[in-house]
Amino acid sequence: MTDAIASNVVPLSWEGDRATGRLLMLDQRLLPTEEVWLKMHSAEDVARGIREMVIRGAPAIGIAAAFGMAMGMRAFEGPLHERPSEFGRLHTLLASTRPTAVNLFWALERCARVAERLRDADNASLTDALFDEADQIFQDDRDNNLRLGNYGAALFEGPTRILTHCNTGALATGGYGTALGVIRALHASGKLNHVFIDETRPYLQGARLTAWECVKEGIDATLITDSMAAHFMKLGQVDAVILGTDRIARNGDVANKIGTYGLAVLCKHHNIPFYVATPLSTIDLNTANGDDIEIEQRDPTEVTHIGGRQMAPEGVGVAHPAFDVTPAELVTAIITEAGVVYPPYTDTLPTLF
């Protein structure tokens, strides 16, 4: 197995010391034409950055939320008996930003366990421990993605043509990627022939972000519109589809960026493997199936406008579910940092833990 090569792209970083420092977020709304870093000084800033998609991608959202919680408690100056109430307020603030991404709640739960363990400690000790936890979540995600990439690359023998959707790379994680991490590992091992990138309407994460990462890293890629995927599959130019996820239910149902379900159906028709790459933190064994996953509904203007320009007439109805759910029976395998599992997922997913 060839070791994956780390990416130089990161979606966030820390600037300064813990007492007065701030979280820097690469504003992904402006990519690929501008690289602008925004300074987040508080939990409120982080919550706004997550909600407004300055940062996006389930793992990266979880990392950002952990730093947001640490900064939020850093600012607390009240008596010890009022601290649980403030912690609860911050938890609610951050948890309400993106309801579908389970990593957000997983990271906040890790912070909550720290707060419970240090419930009688002074606030400086708690704040320092929360920063330690955020740092650990950040580093763990990067390390886990490297392992995941190697497991995914091992599934393929020779030059492979991959189609991917949305952005699952360094920008969506701690700095390497899930599905795009597998693609990076294939590229590093000489087993990647080509990548097709869905533009991923309506927010164009594929066109703006995944294409940008591939260009930066010298990965041979072709950008296509979402509606072209079936055409290239029919021509026999796609060997596998690999994408990420924002939540996997206990039965293996996959919630991911809108358009994922359609790709899975196309793969079934064309007999193409459909792989989902995910860290363990995105697997939600407490959710029985996809019917129980809340689907975020976003601003209609993200559909009617592109780059600030109105593309649809006033008065037309607009639907904008940010995610769809792919049934487990359409998923060939799930790739994680602990290995690759196959159906039946109700039996195999718990073994990863």
Side-chain angles (χ1 to χ4, degrees):
M1 182 181 294
T2 301
D3 286 338
I5 298 173
S7 168
N8 292 321
V9 176
V10 290
L12 71 175
S13 65
W14 184 259
E15 180 181 72
D17 58 29
R18 291 179 172 182
T20 60
R22 73 286 303 163
L23 186 67
L24 302 182
M25 286 186 187
L26 179 60
D27 191 343
Q28 299 186 31
R29 301 168 302 180
L30 302 180
L31 291 174
T33 56
E34 297 180 70
E35 295 183 32
V36 176
W37 290 85
L38 301 183
K39 296 181 179 182
M40 306 290 162
H41 298 273
S42 66
E44 286 75 15
D45 288 346
V46 170
R48 189 178 309 110
I50 295 172
R51 185 178 299 108
E52 296 179 1
M53 294 182 70
V54 172
I55 194 168
R56 27 69 50 209
I61 287 171
I63 295 165
F67 279 102
M69 184 63 78
M71 286 192 291
M73 291 312 301
R74 178 181 68 181
F76 177 70
E77 297 179 343
L80 184 63
H81 71 272
E82 292 181 1
R83 193 167 68 188
S85 176
E86 175 63 6
F87 188 93
R89 183 189 73 81
L90 294 170
H91 189 287
T92 299
L93 169 73
L94 291 161
S96 65
T97 54
R98 300 292 305 275
T100 305
V102 72
N103 301 65
L104 170 64
F105 305 96
W106 169 83
L108 291 175
E109 179 55 32
R110 284 184 57 165
C111 293
R113 289 197 294 268
V114 171
E116 175 59 25
R117 187 174 74 247
L118 297 178
R119 61 184 180 276
D120 296 324
D122 61 81
N123 202 60
S125 297
L126 173 59
T127 297
D128 203 45
L130 287 170
F131 274 115
D132 285 343
E133 192 71 10
D135 284 338
Q136 192 63 54
I137 290 171
F138 198 171
Q139 185 59 49
D140 286 350
D141 184 75
R142 189 178 179 89
D143 293 344
N144 290 341
N145 284 185
L146 287 165
R147 284 192 290 271
L148 184 158
N150 283 328
Y151 276 120
L155 294 172
F156 302 93
E157 293 297 329
T160 304
R161 299 162 300 179
I162 302 294
L163 187 148
T164 193
H165 189 68
C166 197
N167 174 257
T168 58
L171 292 171
T173 63
Y176 185 68
T178 55
L180 194 53
V182 175
I183 291 169
R184 279 193 167 96
L186 285 168
H187 177 65
S189 61
K191 295 194 291 185
L192 182 68
N193 180 291
H194 196 73
V195 180
F196 288 100
I197 304 169
D198 273 355
E199 63 174 355
T200 319
R201 281 281 289 142
Y203 214 70
L204 299 174
Q205 293 98 323
R208 295 187 302 104
L209 307 179
T210 299
W212 180 77
E213 290 198 47
C214 286
V215 168
K216 267 190 162 305
E217 309 242 349
I219 296 173
D220 190 24
T222 297
L223 178 65
I224 62 174
T225 65
D226 298 352
S227 54
M228 293 178 187
H231 170 73
F232 288 103
M233 290 181 183
K234 184 179 180 182
L235 292 179
Q237 296 184 20
V238 177
D239 298 315
V241 168
I242 307 177
L243 32 65
T245 177
D246 286 73
R247 187 183 299 231
I248 297 178
R250 187 170 66 245
N251 73 333
D253 287 351
V254 172
N256 191 47
K257 186 55 54 189
I258 194 73
T260 298
Y261 181 26
L263 285 173
V265 172
L266 289 172
C267 284
K268 180 74 170 178
H269 178 76
H270 292 94
N271 197 29
I272 294 171
F274 180 88
Y275 295 110
V276 175
T278 180
L280 294 179
S281 56
T282 308
I283 298 172
D284 183 6
L285 297 180
N286 295 317
T287 296
N289 57 62
D291 292 340
D292 296 331
I293 297 174
E294 180 181 355
I295 300 300
E296 178 185 3
Q297 305 292 322
R298 290 191 60 81
D299 188 340
T301 60
E302 293 178 2
V303 174
T304 59
H305 291 64
I306 297 178
R309 180 182 177 186
Q310 184 171 329
M311 308 299 291
E314 293 284 355
V316 68
V318 179
H320 187 8
F323 305 91
D324 57 28
V325 176
T326 299
E329 59 265 27
L330 297 179
V331 179
T332 304
I334 295 172
I335 307 164
T336 78
E337 70 269 28
V340 181
V341 294
Y342 299 86
Y345 296 114
T346 301
D347 297 334
T348 58
L349 283 175
T351 67
L352 295 170
F353 297 87

